[in-house]
Amino acid sequence: MATAAASTTLCFLSQNPAKTLHLSLPKLPLTIPKPSVPSITNFSRSFPRLLSSKVVPRKSSNPISCNSASTFPVSTKNYEFSDASSEVELRLQLGAYEIQSPRDIFVDANGTSLTIRVQHHGSPVTLIETNQLFEKIMPAETIWYIDDDQLVINLKKQDPALKWPDIVESWESLTVGSMQLLQGTSIYIVGDSTEINQKVARELAVGLGYTPLDTKELLETYAKQTIDSWVLTEGSDSVAEAESAILESLSSHVRAVIATLGGQQGAARRADKWQHLYAGFTVWLSTTEATDEDSAKEEARRQYLDALAYSKADVVVKLQGWDADLTKSVAQASLSALKQLVLSDKKLPGKKSLYIRLGCRGDWPNIKPPGWDPSAGDDLPQRAL
């Protein structure tokens, strides 16, 4: 297998009226300096590490942190976890550490972070260290105690309505937790590489239990020729029009992840073809030559200001290089960003559903009342729902 280049993924949440940034870096043979930000979801030392930046709403001066780092040296899962609605409980086995008194235990919880250490034969042992709890907690209400040979930690959730599948945000917990957040809303993967779109879409579909759909396969089956052949004989405009028709037919589908065409022949590359892409959550997979977090963010902002068609996406994931082994990491980063997007406005899935029921008229995100006709200009009521 070829050595993979370092790959950066920058998740850029562009849901109006706010935008959010999220950076993660899979741990591969690195050729660039590592940004000085914490790592995320590292269950064991042999697992990949991901680096994550702050999540920053575009029109707010208060950043939402999504930094993360996780270490479980005792075992990949040597704990018991339960969610009791308003709080979550974590139980860790202490039998192997010969704890003499509570003074041998250190517990620090804050926001989305949790650190647990114990003294063992005079030396500190880290049981858990993470900056990526599944969601935010109220640190002042953290309670811990010893129950026989178990350490019990009770963490108060900031959002009691959100069900935590596990204590940390991971691929497994995200795929389970996203079900309650997405509420069946489909996901569209856009970007200039059809191959990358396909791989990430399939990974997401398998993880979520959604139906994987691929406009390239659908178009080639319909036309009985390859996309390349179609472009040569009829031009990219013809392919884009045909894909737009496919997207219209898929817009009423739920629980699907749709991989779209990349390049000039793709409908998503054209600003006037987004009418039916708005029916689901869109993830833009975009390659970048940026070598650090700040330049990647600046590039994303510049592309948004340039009004590129792809900048209409809800989430932008920037990749510095690509290797198929990164597929799950990119899919996880996409889900993490979509999770933050929906948590910032839990009405979004319902709003997407309403947009579909009203006929995908292109009036996203300011949905107009029933009876509004986009071709009628301002003659009919323009009040957004």
Side-chain angles (χ1 to χ4, degrees), residues 22 147 161 172 177 207 225 230-231 233 249 273 283 299 353 368:
H22 172 78
D147 181 16
E172 291 74 14
Q225 62 178 326
W230 193 341
V231 170
T233 57
S249 68
K273 302 298 183 187
V283 179
E299 180 184 67
S353 178
K368 305 301 188 294

Side-chain angles (χ1 to χ4, degrees), residues 158-178:
Q158 281 197 15
D159 184 355
L162 179 65
K163 184 74 173 178
W164 289 29
D166 203 349
I167 189 66
V168 294
E169 183 183 275
S170 63
W171 171 249
E172 291 74 14
S173 64
L174 275 172
T175 52
V176 174
S178 294

